[in-house]
Amino acid sequence: MELSALHELIGKDLAGELSAAEHEVLDAWLAQASPNERLVYEETRRYWQSPPPAVAPADTAAALERLLARLDADELAAAGRHRLPLPTASAPEPWWRTRLAASVAALLIAGSAATGYWGYRHYNQGTFVPLAFTEKATERGATAKVLLADGTAVWLNADSRLWFPSSFKQPRREVYLQGEAFFEVAHNPQQPFVIHLGREQVRVLGTSFNVKAYKEDDMVETAVVTGRVAFIHNAPTSAPDTMYAVPNQRVVYSKTSETLRREEVNSQDYATWSRGGLVFQSTPLADVARTLERHFNVRVRFANEQLRNCRLTGRFRNQTLREVISILSLTGTFGFELTDNQLLITGPGCAAEPASGRTL
């Protein structure tokens, strides 16, 4: 949800003008809001319900201007939205917008938690990321290592983003991830480590594990190498669903079926990419293609959509794209045509195969 849309919903909610559909949207946001976000929402409601705050009109306008100035222009343009104008005589605004701005102004002037809330800008799959957080991003075909302030080491896979603070001063060590990363979390029982993945979270005290949460993928997953993790899915209409995993287990959430499951795996396979390797274990060719696109920065196309159903198993270490695809094609499942920046997968395709797939 864009920040401008969220502010619109909050204002209409306080004014009692929300439709049923808008109520559902706001309730969904509140269900996944952080404690600080909920605190600011409640403080704004309290200021709204109290006598009008003694804030000068200029401060009111300045507060709204500051609020709108923090919106990410790129996100708003992508969503086809326009910045909300300040109230003018020629373009009258709903009465509650000025009152909301006055409440925000009072909160900002008071130096309350609103300062932190209105400082949220980035939007990551259902979660607002604090504006003060540092962003580390990798392009396709590249990886990176990040050392956090507490000593935690993070290997960031291709086409991924990690947001993190310069220091961990809150009761929880919180970071935000979009994409894939391998974590070696510094142990600290007094300060749990939380990775926000949108509506999903991974919480640990100190352990090593892989997390995969690309926004275009159907699956969100974590695989544990050492220690124990809690995978939490925050459904908008029900209590959070939590599942624990220990070494050689992974937890997978399907966005399509909205199901959560735990599986026995070789967790070392999920750390291989951080050492330059690739592992496919009865992996659908559609998922293999996405991995190759990210790892080698190449576009993959299918001549036949049924090819996406084929399952493949193979292990590779520091090999070129041509070497990887040539070896995989030895299964007889498909052919290929490789140019500088495009890989075309050819062949008759496969019906849905059993989970065992084809092994090299």
Side-chain angles (χ1 to χ4, degrees):
M1 184 191 304
E2 305 291 351
L3 281 176
S4 59
L6 175 60
H7 303 152
E8 191 91 3
L9 288 179
I10 291 176
K12 293 176 73 173
D13 176 43
L14 297 174
E17 296 179 359
L18 275 184
S19 67
E22 289 170 331
H23 261 299
E24 291 183 3
V25 174
L26 184 60
D27 288 344
W29 176 79
L30 287 171
Q32 60 86 51
S34 70
N36 187 57
E37 291 168 339
R38 283 181 170 274
L39 173 62
V40 174
Y41 174 79
E42 294 302 329
E43 285 191 9
T44 305
R45 177 179 288 278
R46 179 169 60 83
Y47 268 87
W48 176 282
Q49 294 173 343
S50 63
V55 179
D59 291 330
T60 296
L64 185 56
E65 186 68 22
R66 289 166 61 187
L67 182 77
L68 297 173
R70 288 187 181 275
L71 301 180
D72 189 336
D74 292 337
E75 291 180 4
L76 294 178
R81 299 181 186 275
H82 300 282
R83 184 176 169 188
L84 297 174
L86 289 172
T88 64
S90 58
E93 295 291 330
W95 66 270
W96 49 260
R97 186 164 292 151
T98 301
R99 180 67 187 276
L100 176 63
S103 298
V104 171
L107 285 168
L108 291 173
I109 293 169
S112 73
T115 302
Y117 173 69
W118 301 124
Y120 281 56
R121 181 179 67 179
H122 301 293
Y123 186 69
N124 178 35
Q125 305 183 76
T127 302
F128 290 108
V129 181
L131 183 63
F133 275 32
T134 298
E135 178 182 349
K136 177 65 176 180
T138 54
E139 301 293 335
R140 290 191 172 191
T143 58
K145 182 179 179 181
V146 181
L147 188 63
L148 303 184
D150 65 336
T152 293
V154 185
W155 286 262
L156 199 59
N157 206 349
D159 195 21
S160 300
R161 283 177 168 78
L162 179 72
W163 291 270
F164 55 94
S166 58
S167 62
F168 294 104
K169 299 179 181 179
Q170 303 300 321
R172 302 188 304 180
R173 295 172 287 170
E174 298 185 82
V175 301
Y176 297 76
L177 174 68
Q178 178 181 300
E180 184 171 17
F182 184 81
F183 290 82
E184 288 185 353
V185 176
H187 188 69
N188 185 348
Q190 283 71 48
Q191 199 177 30
F193 193 95
V194 180
I195 306 166
H196 295 276
L197 310 170
R199 285 184 176 169
E200 288 71 47
Q201 295 179 7
V202 173
R203 298 187 188 184
V204 300
L205 297 177
T207 182
S208 59
F209 54 96
N210 192 73
V211 178
K212 189 175 182 182
Y214 287 101
K215 62 181 180 180
E216 63 270 24
D217 288 0
D218 178 59
M219 303 296 183
V220 179
E221 63 182 64
T222 183
V224 182
V225 176
T226 63
R228 182 172 181 257
V229 309
F231 185 97
I232 304 168
H233 172 65
N234 292 295
T237 58
S238 62
D241 194 0
T242 302
M243 187 171 286
Y244 295 91
V246 296
N248 292 322
Q249 290 182 340
R250 76 165 179 166
V251 175
V252 181
Y253 175 75
S254 170
K255 301 174 188 175
T256 301
S257 63
E258 298 184 345
T259 56
L260 193 62
R261 69 179 187 272
R262 182 171 49 229
E263 301 174 342
E264 301 296 321
V265 296
N266 179 357
S267 58
Q268 291 296 334
D269 289 348
Y270 295 85
T272 300
W273 68 261
S274 64
R275 302 188 293 270
L278 291 172
V279 175
F280 304 117
Q281 186 66 41
S282 188
T283 305
L285 190 47
D287 294 342
V288 172
R290 278 193 290 269
T291 298
L292 297 179
E293 285 183 327
R294 293 163 183 157
H295 191 82
F296 294 104
N297 190 23
V298 64
R299 182 187 179 194
V300 180
R301 294 175 52 239
F302 289 93
N304 182 345
E305 287 299 305
Q306 284 192 320
L307 284 160
R308 296 176 180 273
N309 298 325
C310 302
R311 291 180 175 269
L312 300 171
T313 296
R315 295 173 181 271
F316 307 91
R317 181 71 178 271
N318 296 325
Q319 291 172 280
T320 66
L321 172 59
R322 183 171 292 277
E323 289 171 337
V324 171
I325 200 65
S326 295
I327 293 171
L328 288 174
S329 68
L330 293 178
T331 60
T333 305
F334 64 90
F336 69 92
E337 297 175 13
L338 179 60
T339 60
D340 289 340
N341 58 3
Q342 180 171 288
L343 171 63
L344 175 64
I345 306 294
T346 62
C350 304
E353 293 194 3
S356 58
R358 301 191 183 190
T359 304
L360 298 176

